[in-house]
């Protein structure tokens, strides 16, 4: 079982729609959860982090965390072509600083 | 504020040669990490420095890899001798020491190709 799993892509959504990305993790003691966006050939860019159960909103992005279900998601509202990228879910396991990454979900927003 | 920088951006070497990658973290960040992504796989942790000390090197694949962080500033990752399976993108990241809220900022990566 992989430590962090993301829903397989690619995910194609029309401009203006909501893109929904899912991530599950295996270590129940995981503390911190991050979403990175990576454009092709560029560095992963931190766009959201969440530490507590519930929702966290930042602009068009909403992260949702459910520790009981070991599930974290990212919603992108009003998707724009500039949101087209690979989104990486990363988890900080308990008492540790290293990140465990999922394989990423590639999102394409159609104009 | 300057971000994490890495050098070189690309390196192509032959099997058996040596390559040294460099990472300059964000100024003031005590924590420095090396990760790599090999073809088709997820990004994997290699090691973690706190200042000049190796905190965790559990992800280093074997003794052909040597990481240093002299003076707690920039870090180097040397691969000697390089093997074909070492090809991939090597990322460096840095963070401030902040307990569990460990937001890591990544550099652009070094794409290593071993022929």
């Amino acid at each position: 079982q992989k430590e962090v799993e993301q829903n397989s892509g690619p995910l194609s959504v029309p401009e203006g729609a909501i893109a929904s990305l899912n991530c599950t993790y295996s270590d129940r003691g995981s503390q911190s959860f991050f979403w990175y966006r990576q454009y092709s050939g560029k560095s992963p860019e931190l766009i959201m982090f969440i530490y507590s159960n519930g929702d966290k909103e930042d602009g068009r992005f909403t992260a949702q965390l459910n520790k009981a279900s070991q599930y974290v998601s990212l919603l992108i509202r009003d998707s724009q072509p500039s949101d087209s990228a690979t989104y990486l879910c990363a988890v900080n396991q308990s008492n540790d600083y290293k990140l465990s990454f999922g394989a990423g979900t590639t999102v394409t927003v159609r104009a | 504020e300057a971000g994490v920088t890495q050098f070189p951006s690309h390196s192509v070497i032959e099997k058996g040669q040596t390559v040294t990658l460099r990472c300059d973290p964000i100024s003031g960040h005590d924590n420095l990490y090396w990760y790599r992504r090999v073809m088709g796989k997820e990004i994997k942790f290699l090691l973690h420095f706190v200042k000049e000390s190796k905190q965790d090197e559990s992800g280093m694949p074997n003794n052909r890899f040597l990481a240093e962080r002299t003076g707690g500033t920039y870090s180097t990752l040397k691969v000697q001798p390089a093997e074909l399976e070492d090809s991939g993108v090597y990322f460096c990241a840095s963070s401030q020491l902040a307990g569990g809220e460990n937001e890591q900022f990544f550099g652009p990566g070094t794409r290593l190709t071993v022929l």
Side-chain angles (χ1 to χ4, degrees):
Chain A
Q1 181 188 16
K2 290 186 177 181
E3 294 175 4
V4 180
E5 297 205 52
Q6 296 185 236
N7 53 326
S8 60
L11 177 65
S12 180
V13 298
E15 185 173 359
I18 295 175
S20 177
L21 306 171
N22 302 319
C23 174
T24 57
Y25 57 94
S26 61
D27 184 352
R28 188 168 286 280
S30 297
Q31 299 290 331
S32 309
F33 307 86
F34 305 87
W35 283 99
Y36 285 84
R37 177 177 63 198
Q38 186 177 24
Y39 294 113
S40 181
K42 303 295 184 182
S43 59
E45 173 193 4
L46 181 64
I47 56 170
M48 287 287 289
F49 56 87
I50 186 167
Y51 307 126
S52 304
N53 276 329
D55 295 359
K56 179 180 179 183
E57 187 174 315
D58 183 0
R60 297 185 295 108
F61 297 100
T62 299
Q64 299 173 315
L65 175 61
N66 183 326
K67 288 186 177 180
S69 299
Q70 295 176 237
Y71 172 92
V72 58
S73 67
L74 179 70
L75 299 177
I76 307 173
R77 291 184 303 282
D78 187 24
S79 296
Q80 301 297 308
S82 60
D83 295 326
S84 298
T86 296
Y87 290 80
L88 302 166
C89 173
V91 176
N92 200 179
Q93 297 184 323
S94 52
N95 300 316
D96 205 346
Y97 288 103
K98 63 188 177 194
L99 296 177
S100 295
F101 282 86
T105 300
T106 299
V107 174
T108 301
V109 180
R110 310 186 305 271
Chain B
E1 179 183 271
V4 177
T5 58
Q6 293 186 245
F7 182 84
S9 57
H10 293 84
S11 180
V12 180
I13 61 172
E14 293 190 351
K15 175 182 173 180
Q17 289 186 321
T18 298
V19 62
T20 300
L21 314 180
R22 173 170 170 146
C23 168
D24 286 79
I26 292 172
S27 178
H29 282 192
D30 287 337
N31 292 274
L32 186 148
Y33 311 81
W34 285 97
Y35 293 84
R36 76 173 177 178
R37 186 171 199 164
V38 296
M39 184 67 72
K41 302 288 187 181
E42 60 270 20
I43 296 173
K44 287 286 194 182
F45 168 82
L46 295 178
L47 88 159
H48 169 211
F49 283 99
V50 177
K51 297 184 180 179
E52 68 275 8
S53 299
K54 291 177 186 175
Q55 187 77 10
D56 180 356
E57 49 185 332
S58 61
M60 295 286 263
N62 51 59
N63 59 9
R64 296 185 294 104
F65 289 74
L66 175 63
E68 295 180 322
R69 192 182 183 195
T70 306
T73 55
Y74 70 91
S75 175
T76 58
L77 179 65
K78 181 162 68 174
V79 185
Q80 179 184 29
E83 298 290 344
L84 298 178
E85 63 265 25
D86 300 332
S87 295
V89 181
Y90 290 76
F91 291 104
C92 176
S94 71
S95 70
Q96 290 183 319
L97 188 63
E101 299 177 1
N102 180 27
E103 297 151 36
Q104 297 182 22
F105 298 90
F106 280 72
T110 293
R111 181 173 295 278
L112 174 64
T113 302
V114 182
L115 301 176

